[in-house]
C-alpha cells in the first residue's frame, strides 16, 4: 500500500514498520486539498516549486502525529539539534513524528522530520549522522532538484494545466504517483558521498562530533544485516557501499585527531 511506503529521494533513510499499537503508521496517501497553486503542465518555476514543497510538508505535518513541544522526543531532538540553524542559507526546522516507521527525512525547504521509532533505536550521535547526511542533500539542492523532477514527470504529467495562472490542488491519484516516484527515486553515488562530506563539515562547524557520520552508517549496516529488517536491503542497494562510507568518515575523523564519543568506544 502506498501509505505504507516512505519516500526515499527527497524524504528518506530507513523504512521499517514496527508493531507499536499506540503509534500511527506514517501517512502519505491522502490528497492535498483546499488550495490552488501556480504551475504549468510542462514547466515549473522556483517559486511554484517552493509552493508545492511548502504545501507538501504542511500536509504531512497535518496528517501525521507531531510530538508536542513538551514531549520527551521533541525535547531530546531540540537539544540535539541546538546550533543547527541553516544549511547553506536554507533555514532549518525540526519536528518529531510519533509513528511506527523508522525513518527521517529532510525537505528542500529545510524541514527536517525525525520519526520517534528511529529515535528509539539510535543514540544521539547516530541520529546526528542521519540528520547531517539528509541536510547535505538539502544544502546541495539535491532534494530540490529531485522534487522538481518528480513533479514534472509524475504528479504533473496527468494534465494539470494552467488556468489564469492557477491550477487545482493535486488529486489523490496524482499524489499517489508523486509518492511512488519519490520512493523509487535515486541519488547518484557522487551526490550521496558529497552529502556525507557536507554532513561531516556541517556537524563539525556546529560544534558537534563529526564521528556521528561513521556511527550512523555503522548503525544502518547493523540494521541492514538484521533479519528482522530485511526490507532495508532494497533501500540500501541504491546507496554507496556502507563499508566504504564508514571507512571514509572514520579515516577523516581519525586523521583530524577527533576523539570518538565515549559511548561508542564502550560499545
Amino acid at each position: 500500500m502506498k501509505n505504507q511506503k516512505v519516500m526515499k529521494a527527497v524524504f528518506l533513510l530507513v523504512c521499517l514498520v514496527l508493531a507499536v499499537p499506540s503509534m500511527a503508521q506514517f501517512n502519505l496517501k491522502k490528497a492535498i486539498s483546499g488550495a490552488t497553486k501556480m504551475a504549468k503542465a510542462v514547466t515549473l518555476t522556483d517559486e511554484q516549486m517552493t509552493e508545492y514543497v511548502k504545501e507538501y510538508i504542511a500536509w504531512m505535518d497535518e496528517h501525521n502525529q507531531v510530538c508536542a513541544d513538551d514531549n520527551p522526543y521533541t525535547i531530546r531532538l531540540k537539544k540535539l539539534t541546538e546550533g543547527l540553524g541553516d544549511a547553506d542559507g536554507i533555514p532549518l526546522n525540526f519536528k518529531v513524528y510519533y509513528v511506527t516507521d523508522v525513518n527521517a527525512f529532510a525537505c528542500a525547504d529545510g524541514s527536517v522530520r525525525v520519526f520517534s521509532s528511529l529515535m528509539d533505536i539510535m543514540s544521539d550521535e547516530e541520529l546526528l549522522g542521519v540528520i547531517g547526511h539528509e541536510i547535505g542533500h538539502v544544502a546541495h539542492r539535491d532534494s530540490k532538484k529531485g522534487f522538481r523532477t518528480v513533479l514534472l514527470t509524475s504528479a504533473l504529467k496527468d494534465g494539470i494545466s494552467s488556468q489564469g495562472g492557477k491550477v487545482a490542488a493535486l488529486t489523490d491519484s496524482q499524489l499517489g504517483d508523486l509518492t511512488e516516484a519519490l520512493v523509487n527515486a535515486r541519488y547518484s553515488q557522487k551526490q550521496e558521498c558529497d552529502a556525507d562530506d557536507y554532513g561531516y563539515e556541517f556537524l563539525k562547524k556546529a560544534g558537534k562530533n563529526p564521528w556521528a557520520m561513521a556511527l550512523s552508517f555503522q548503525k544502518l549496516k547493523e540494521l541492514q544485516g538484521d533479519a528482522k529488517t530485511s526490507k532495508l536491503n532494497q533501500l540500501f542497494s541504491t546507496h554507496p557501499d556502507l563499508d566504504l562510507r564508514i571507512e571514509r568518515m572514520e579515516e577523516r575523523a581519525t586523521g583530524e585527531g577527533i576523539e570518538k564519543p565515549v559511548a561508542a568506544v564502550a560499545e
Side-chain angles (χ1 to χ4, degrees), residues 196-197 200 211 213-215 217-218 221 240-255:
D196 292 347
D197 291 334
Y200 182 99
W211 264 99
M213 300 301 298
L215 296 177
F217 298 148
Q218 288 173 355
K221 182 179 179 181
D241 182 78
L242 281 175
D243 287 328
L244 176 61
R245 298 171 78 179
I246 292 169
E247 182 179 355
R248 288 182 69 245
M249 295 294 99
E250 284 186 341
E251 287 184 352
R252 188 166 180 179
T254 301

Side-chain angles (χ1 to χ4, degrees), residues 62-221:
E62 179 182 354
H63 290 90
N64 292 284
Q65 184 176 344
V66 177
C67 291
D69 290 343
D70 60 353
N71 185 284
Y73 285 112
T74 302
I75 294 172
R76 180 187 173 195
L77 184 63
K78 183 177 181 180
K79 181 178 180 180
L80 189 64
T81 59
E82 185 176 357
L84 307 184
D86 72 276
D88 197 28
I90 301 173
L92 302 172
N93 67 89
F94 301 87
K95 291 183 181 180
V96 180
Y97 285 173
Y98 190 68
V99 292
T100 60
D101 306 78
V102 178
N103 203 359
F105 68 80
C107 288
D109 69 339
S111 296
V112 181
R113 301 295 180 261
V114 181
F115 295 11
S116 58
S117 291
L118 179 66
M119 298 181 71
D120 287 338
I121 64 171
M122 282 194 164
S123 67
D124 286 353
E125 289 81 10
E126 291 163 350
L127 282 171
L128 275 175
V130 171
I131 292 170
H133 174 82
E134 292 310 311
I135 290 175
H137 282 305
V138 173
H140 291 155
R141 274 60 176 181
D142 298 334
S143 299
K144 182 178 181 179
K145 294 173 185 175
F147 199 82
R148 178 192 297 273
T149 298
V150 171
L151 282 171
L152 290 175
T153 60
S154 179
L156 297 184
K157 71 181 180 182
D158 295 327
I160 296 182
S161 59
S162 177
Q163 298 178 351
K166 294 186 177 182
V167 295
L170 295 176
T171 66
D172 187 64
S173 174
Q174 289 159 346
L175 182 59
D177 287 345
L178 173 62
T179 301
E180 187 70 23
L182 288 169
V183 168
N184 295 319
R186 300 289 184 269
Y187 284 137
S188 70
Q189 180 168 325
K190 183 178 186 305
Q191 286 175 315
E192 295 288 10
C193 289
D194 286 348
D196 292 347
D197 291 334
Y198 182 92
Y200 182 99
E201 285 297 327
F202 177 75
L203 294 177
K204 185 171 72 170
K205 289 178 181 178
K208 313 293 184 182
N209 192 325
W211 264 99
M213 300 301 298
L215 296 177
S216 68
F217 298 148
Q218 288 173 355
K219 172 62 77 171
L220 295 177
K221 182 179 179 181

